[in-house]
Structure formats: structure tokens, C-alpha cells
Amino acid sequence: MAVDEGALLFAPQNNRAAYVLLNLPATMAPRLPRSAALVLATILGFLCLVALSDDEQLENLRFVRRAEDYASLVSHYNYIVIGGGTAGCPLATTLSEHSRVLLLERGGLPYRNMSSQEHFTDALADTTLASPAQRFISEDGVVNARARVLGGGSCLNAGFYTRASVDYVRAAGWDARLVNSSYRWVERALVSRPDVPPWQAALRDALLEAGVTPDNGFTFDHVAGTKIGGTIFDNAGQRHTAADFLRHARPTGLTVLLYATVSRILFRQQGTLHVQSTHTPAHSCQGSPYPVAYGVVFADPLGVQHRVYLQDGAKNEVILSAGTLGSPQLLMLSGVGPQAHLEAHGIQVLVDQPMVGQGVADNPMNSVFIPSPVPVALSLVQVVGITRSGSFIEGVSGSEFGIPVSEGARRLARSFGLFSPQVKPPGFAASILCIIWWIGASILTMCSCMQTGQLGTLPPKQRTPEALQRAAEAMRRLDRRAFRGGFILEKILGPVSSGHIELRSTDPRANPAVTFNYFQEKEDLDRCVQGIQTIERVIQSRAFANFTYANASVESIFADSANFPVNLLPRHVNDSRTPEQYCRDTVMTIWHYHGGCQVGAVVDDDYRVFGVQRLRVIDSSTFKYSPGTNPQATVMMLGRYMGVKIQAERWRK
């Protein structure tokens, strides 16, 4: 008699070893007393559970499957959530408590090498079509990435967890009590207090010495001064992501499809609107016919087209949680957006909504590499200085930082991950981009920068494959001590400057064209300058002295970092570079871009899209400004928050 395989599949928490031991037929069971068998089964089950990685545990959830394994070509749900990212996972989990939910994710499970802090750069260094990080380059010439994986950006980021400020919550019009309970729900599932290594402790003390006071200790709250925040990496260095929320879903209420690429939202004409206004919620108007969302079309990896529909009922909805790029892109592909732009791409216009794709912003980040005379432990963001001038100071460290750990990642990234001169984005041939995110030229200066041909000073069009090859070979020959140190970075509040998103094509897999207009507004530039000046004080502080070379001046440290090719912008090479020029020349992303479907412009206060019914957008595209110092906490909170609110609306008569 065999063990029931069906029951084994549904064994709680994947504790299959314990289940097998306790359910073997008498003729097959070990000759142990039942109590001893129970103890042994518990130990074995615990060990097996610990051995499973996060993605293996997710893989064993019976409601998570690949899109091509989805047998039903037509199905009906209460909610269809597009995007299994930082907002979509907590949202779908919450809605599944009392409803039937379909969650469509265009990527796959988090890779095993995304789970470890040591592998932080590996996924971002992967430029293949299967990469969980889909690279794009903004029209400004800054390299960026968007998540393509279950769990979204929480699978790729530096893990820092901090809430939005009280003022931000108030300005958003959110229910403060529900906000706090939603944050706590997130924190119970994912968030840890970090063990602070000496480099991060020195950064904290240096920030205090530099005047970023008071010392707020460990806190999730966004308050002026210096603090230690939370992290989604546990004390073993393992990452926990938004995909972890799915383990708390009601299994019979949720279906998750991976590698499901949504091409458009389906609408039908129904009812009447008094005025087809893009600034009036459709559910409150009467008069002319209006579009009602009733389903979506998605393709699986084999190219098979699937249609899924909402069940009948006014409270069943399609919810876009595809992120700052994906949500406005899918609205436009579905006929909701600027009329002239949609017509130029041959898209039938359902609602002329000129604000779709507008107000997109990215918080500019600038950094400096600080070479260390002593070994430095690996650490991602743990400490933040929240200045009163509107800049946020953070740091990352480690002697091996940026050098991929896994052999596969080394092959992909020519041994230097995101810092490789040879990492190249799709679509670039002769002008191969030198993607070096948080590293300074000080490394090359210390180890014979001339070997690289001063790559950082070359204009982008002169960074030929041959020049990049020489630089990569030179980097391979460097003593690994050259990478010893850390990066202090600043990003600014807001920002005030913003841009837009436009379609490049009607292919839902392609990146849209994105313009952020970094430092277009003087207020942003002023904040950056003040942040750079704070970093200078940190470097010169007594608290940070153990991690700087005594003979290295602040000027030389910044000059070296300024020469590294971190973007595609023209470089201004001179010995008297101003802080303003440093901000402009070395601007990078910290992946905190947002906007494109902002509240009040594209969606109402309940995140319903203006001009249509049964369609909402719930993700970072609805933000006007980035919340807190790092947005992931608030994006996850928003998923939970709106899930609770939507459930309450559903049962309200």
C-alpha cells in the first residue's frame, strides 16, 4: 500500500518527510514506538523545511503554476490582478481571503541566487531575456531596470525597509489606523532588524557627527535624523520578498500564473455617462456610453493566447499592479491614454486620457566610493540619514561587493556583475554601455587606471567593444583589495522634476520610452548639492576615519568617482568640478521611479481609473512623490491596505 500522493502534495508547510513517516502502512513503517516516530518525524520535517529555499516552497504551492500549464483557456474570477510584484502579491493574498482571484505575473519564481544577500548583484547583472531584471535606458541616458519576477522589485532591491512619513500618509488621504495595521501585517511576514557591522555603525556615527541628528536608534518610522531601519534580509542573509505573502493566501481562492504576459484589458460599452470626463469617476456619472472592464488577454510562453473574464457583478474588477512602467503601458495598449499617441500606434481609443504616462519621476541618486585600508564586511542599506534639507544618505559596503558569487553569473557578467565594463543592454551594438552602478574610479586609480585607457573619460560613442574589452581585462588583473571599501550615496526627496512614458511599440514585452528629466527643477539640484556636502562631512569625520586612507583627500575621492562611466551622459572633465556638475554628471537611479497613473490625474482616491468602470490601478505608478527614504514598505502596505478596503466595499450593502 503506497502513501497517498494527493495528500502528500497538500501536506502542510511542505512538511512531507513528517507526513510520509507518520502515514506509512504498518508493514513499511520503522519499528519505533508511535511517540518516538512522532518526534523523529517532527525533526525530519523541520530539517526538510529549512532545506527548502523560498522559491522551492513557492513552487510547491498548488495554486502557483506556469501559464502554459493552465488547462482552462477561458475562466472567470472576482478579481484579476495584473502584476505579481511588490503591491500585487499582498493585494492578491488579501483579496483571496473571501474571493476568487487570478494573479498574472509575466516573470517566474525568484531565482535561488536572488535569495542571498551575497548574490545581490547577480540578477541585476543578467541581461538575458530570461532575466528577472529587465534592463532599460531612459531617454535621459541613465541605465535602469524593471522587475520581471514574482515578488517584483522586492526580489532585486537592497532590502531596506522604512515607512512613509506621517505627513505623507496625511497628504495621501489614507486612513492612518488602517495604514499602521497594514504596515504591521507586512512587517510580521517579512521584516527583520539588521545586525549592524562596523562599517555601517561608523556611517551612523559619522552622520551624527556631520549634523544629521538626532540619533533615532532602530525604527521603521520616517523621522529627521539618523536611524537604523528594517530589512527584508534575515540574520542569515536570506531575502524575504513580497512573494512570501502568497503562503498566507487562501489556497482555494487564488490562482497564480507565471510567465503570463498580458497584452490588453478587455472592455465593453455599457450604461451611460453624462460627460466622458477624464477627471470624473465613471461610476458616479450618467449620460453617454462608457467602457467597462470585463477581462484580459494574456499569452503563455508557447504563444497561446488566453482570455480570462470577470464574473458577473459590479463589484468584480480588473486591477493593474504592473508597476510604474507596466501599468500606464497596459492602459495605453488597451485604449486608455492620450488620443494622438494611441492613434499613432494604431490603437483604438476608448478614453482620451492625456494624463496616462505623465508625471513619471525617478529619485536621482549620486554616490562616491570610499576605499578602505581595512577589510570591510558585506552590508546592504541598513542606516539612513534623513536630512532637513531634503536629501537621504545611505551606504553599502563589502570587499567583494559587486563581484558575482555564482559561476553562472560570472559568465554572464564577465566577472564583475553590474560593475562590468562589458555588461550591455539589449539594442546597443557599437555603443556598448559600461554599467557600473555604485563603484568609483578610485579602484582603477589605485591599481593603474591607465591600463583601462581612462575608460571613464571617454565619450559614450567612443566606448568601443575593444575599449571595453581592455577595461574588463584590466579589472580582472586588479588585486581584489582594490574593491575593498564601501559606497556612500545620497538620493533626494520628491523629486520635483518629472517626465513621461510613451509607447515604443504595441509589443507588451517591450520597454516603453521613459524620460525622467533629472534635475530639471533647481530645487532638486539644490537638494543634491546639500546631500553631497553632507557626504563630504561624513568622509572627513573622526567616526569614519578607520575606513578611509589618511592620505586620500575628499577632493581626490570625488574626482575618482566622477570619472567612472556610470551613465550615458556627456562627461565634463576638469579639475574644478562643482557639486552641481557632480550631481548632473554622475546621476544614477536607485530604482525608486514612480508616477504615470497618479491619484487625481488618472485614478481617483479609491484608485479607480477615471472614465471607465471595474478597473483600478494599485502600485507605485499612482504616487506623485516617492514615500519615505525607500518606497518598498509603502508599496507593500498599499497592496494590503487596498485589499482590505476593497473587501469591505464588497460586503457593504
Side-chain angles (χ1 to χ4, degrees):
M1 180 178 178
V3 174
D4 183 343
E5 293 181 0
L8 176 60
L9 179 63
F10 303 119
Q13 296 293 316
N14 302 313
N15 200 340
R16 297 181 176 187
Y19 179 86
V20 169
L21 187 58
L22 289 174
N23 290 276
L24 281 173
T27 56
M28 298 174 61
R31 295 184 181 276
L32 291 173
R34 184 70 176 178
S35 59
L38 179 60
V39 172
L40 182 58
T42 301
I43 294 172
L44 286 173
F46 174 76
L47 291 175
C48 287
L49 180 59
V50 169
L52 287 174
S53 65
D54 286 348
D55 52 327
E56 287 172 324
Q57 292 184 40
L58 286 169
E59 208 167 48
N60 290 327
L61 292 175
R62 61 185 181 272
F63 54 79
V64 178
R65 64 190 72 176
R66 294 174 64 99
E68 65 266 36
D69 298 331
Y70 189 53
S72 177
L73 294 180
V74 178
S75 52
H76 296 76
Y77 296 87
N78 300 118
Y79 299 101
I80 301 171
V81 179
I82 304 171
T86 312
C89 284
L91 174 64
T93 296
T94 303
L95 292 175
S96 75
E97 294 171 6
H98 300 290
S99 301
R100 190 165 180 236
V101 182
L102 175 65
L103 178 61
L104 298 170
E105 166 54 44
R106 71 193 186 109
L109 292 173
Y111 296 170
R112 287 170 178 79
N113 66 0
M114 277 188 272
S115 299
S116 170
Q117 181 174 263
E118 293 180 347
H119 291 271
F120 168 61
T121 62
D122 287 10
L124 291 164
D126 182 356
T127 59
T128 67
L129 293 177
S131 172
Q134 183 177 357
R135 185 162 297 160
F136 70 94
I137 301 171
S138 73
E139 301 302 295
D140 315 272
V142 174
V143 185
N144 215 315
R146 59 190 291 209
R148 182 169 50 195
V149 61
L150 189 67
S154 68
C155 300
L156 305 172
N157 63 28
F160 194 61
Y161 181 96
T162 179
R163 296 181 177 189
S165 68
V166 172
D167 289 341
Y168 190 100
V169 172
R170 185 182 302 113
W174 293 332
D175 179 331
R177 181 175 298 180
L178 181 55
V179 165
N180 287 333
S181 67
S182 298
Y183 274 129
R184 288 194 296 270
W185 182 85
V186 170
E187 289 151 12
R188 284 193 298 269
L190 301 186
V191 187
S192 300
R193 177 173 180 165
D195 292 329
V196 179
W199 192 93
Q200 291 282 345
L203 175 60
R204 175 198 59 203
D205 296 342
L207 283 165
L208 293 169
E209 187 179 328
V212 187
T213 56
D215 182 353
N216 293 309
F218 170 74
T219 180
F220 295 145
D221 294 336
H222 182 94
V223 285
T226 296
K227 73 167 191 174
I228 298 167
T231 178
I232 59 173
F233 288 97
D234 62 26
N235 290 335
Q238 296 301 299
R239 181 191 292 272
H240 296 270
T241 76
D244 292 13
F245 294 124
L246 300 176
R247 300 196 194 102
H248 305 287
R250 183 172 64 94
T252 57
L254 180 60
T255 298
V256 179
L257 297 183
L258 305 174
Y259 304 106
T261 303
V262 176
S263 56
R264 69 184 189 279
I265 301 164
L266 298 172
F267 292 95
R268 63 169 177 260
Q269 296 294 326
Q270 180 176 309
T272 55
L273 285 171
H274 180 62
V275 177
Q276 182 87 354
S277 171
T278 58
H279 296 284
T280 307
H283 60 274
S284 64
C285 305
Q286 296 180 354
S288 58
Y290 58 89
V292 178
Y294 71 94
V296 306
V297 179
F298 72 89
D300 66 28
L302 301 178
V304 177
Q305 298 290 314
H306 302 258
R307 289 183 175 232
V308 287
Y309 301 106
L310 295 175
Q311 292 180 351
D312 290 337
K315 294 184 177 180
N316 298 322
E317 297 175 301
V318 174
I319 303 174
L320 268 172
S321 294
T324 296
L325 271 62
S327 288
Q329 180 184 26
L330 274 171
L331 280 180
M332 288 189 276
L333 290 176
S334 303
V336 179
Q339 181 172 344
H341 182 57
L342 300 189
E343 289 177 343
H345 287 276
I347 299 171
Q348 180 182 357
V349 179
L350 295 178
V351 177
D352 178 14
Q353 170 47 289
M355 295 307 294
V356 171
Q358 299 299 310
V360 175
D362 186 22
N363 299 79
M365 187 268 283
N366 300 83
S367 72
V368 59
F369 179 72
I370 317 296
S372 173
V374 297
V376 177
L378 174 68
S379 68
L380 299 181
V381 179
Q382 297 178 346
V383 171
V384 62
I386 301 174
T387 72
R388 288 174 172 79
S389 60
S391 62
F392 308 135
I393 313 298
E394 301 173 344
V396 296
S397 70
S399 60
E400 301 296 319
F401 190 80
I403 301 178
V405 177
S406 66
E407 187 60 33
R410 286 194 181 100
R411 288 195 302 270
L412 284 169
R414 300 293 198 275
S415 301
F416 289 93
L418 289 179
F419 309 149
S420 170
Q422 291 187 313
V423 175
K424 53 188 177 182
F428 273 69
S431 183
I432 300 180
L433 176 62
C434 190
I435 300 186
I436 302 175
W437 289 74
W438 291 342
I439 197 165
S442 46
I443 289 175
L444 298 183
T445 301
M446 293 191 310
C447 300
S448 187
C449 177
M450 292 304 293
Q451 294 181 74
T452 70
Q454 293 285 351
L455 183 64
T457 64
L458 289 177
K461 290 184 178 180
Q462 295 180 31
R463 296 171 197 166
T464 64
E466 293 75 20
L468 297 173
Q469 181 66 34
R470 288 195 299 272
E473 291 300 328
M475 291 180 78
R476 289 192 189 96
R477 292 192 296 269
L478 296 179
D479 189 317
R480 291 175 91 82
R481 288 175 298 176
F483 293 87
R484 193 167 63 191
F487 305 87
I488 302 178
L489 58 96
E490 68 84 30
K491 85 161 219 185
I492 66 168
L493 176 73
V496 180
S497 306
S498 67
H500 57 274
I501 288 175
E502 294 181 334
L503 298 175
R504 291 187 190 275
S505 71
T506 57
D507 183 353
R509 298 165 299 180
N511 288 319
V514 189
T515 303
F516 292 120
N517 291 322
Y518 296 105
F519 299 124
Q520 185 179 58
E521 300 296 331
K522 184 177 184 298
E523 185 176 350
D524 292 338
L525 190 60
D526 290 343
R527 285 174 171 163
C528 177
V529 168
Q530 290 170 317
I532 294 298
Q533 292 168 345
T534 301
I535 292 177
E536 291 175 346
R537 295 195 298 273
V538 166
I539 296 172
Q540 294 171 316
S541 69
R542 291 188 301 276
F544 209 68
N546 288 342
F547 296 102
T548 58
Y549 283 95
N551 61 349
S553 67
V554 169
E555 292 76 16
S556 66
I557 289 172
F558 272 89
D560 289 342
S561 292
N563 286 332
F564 227 85
V566 296
N567 54 44
L568 287 178
L569 299 173
R571 196 54 48 91
H572 300 80
V573 181
N574 56 66
D575 294 328
S576 58
R577 184 183 283 106
T578 64
E580 288 85 357
Q581 198 63 58
Y582 186 90
C583 289
R584 292 186 184 278
D585 281 359
T586 67
V587 63
M588 291 178 279
T589 185
I590 195 170
W591 310 293
H592 295 173
Y593 50 87
H594 52 277
C597 297
Q598 290 180 357
V599 172
V602 177
V603 299
D604 66 16
D605 292 340
D606 291 316
Y607 299 88
R608 294 186 177 95
V609 176
F610 291 137
V612 302
Q613 276 197 335
R614 298 172 69 178
L615 177 63
R616 301 192 203 222
V617 179
I618 300 174
D619 59 25
S620 60
S621 72
T622 64
F623 297 159
K624 184 174 182 181
Y625 301 116
S626 183
T629 63
N630 300 66
Q632 75 164 339
T634 303
V635 178
M636 289 189 281
M637 179 281 295
L638 182 63
R640 172 65 176 180
Y641 176 93
M642 285 306 301
V644 172
K645 288 196 68 174
I646 291 170
Q647 282 191 107
E649 290 173 8
R650 187 172 193 86
W651 304 115
R652 188 183 304 134
K653 292 185 179 180

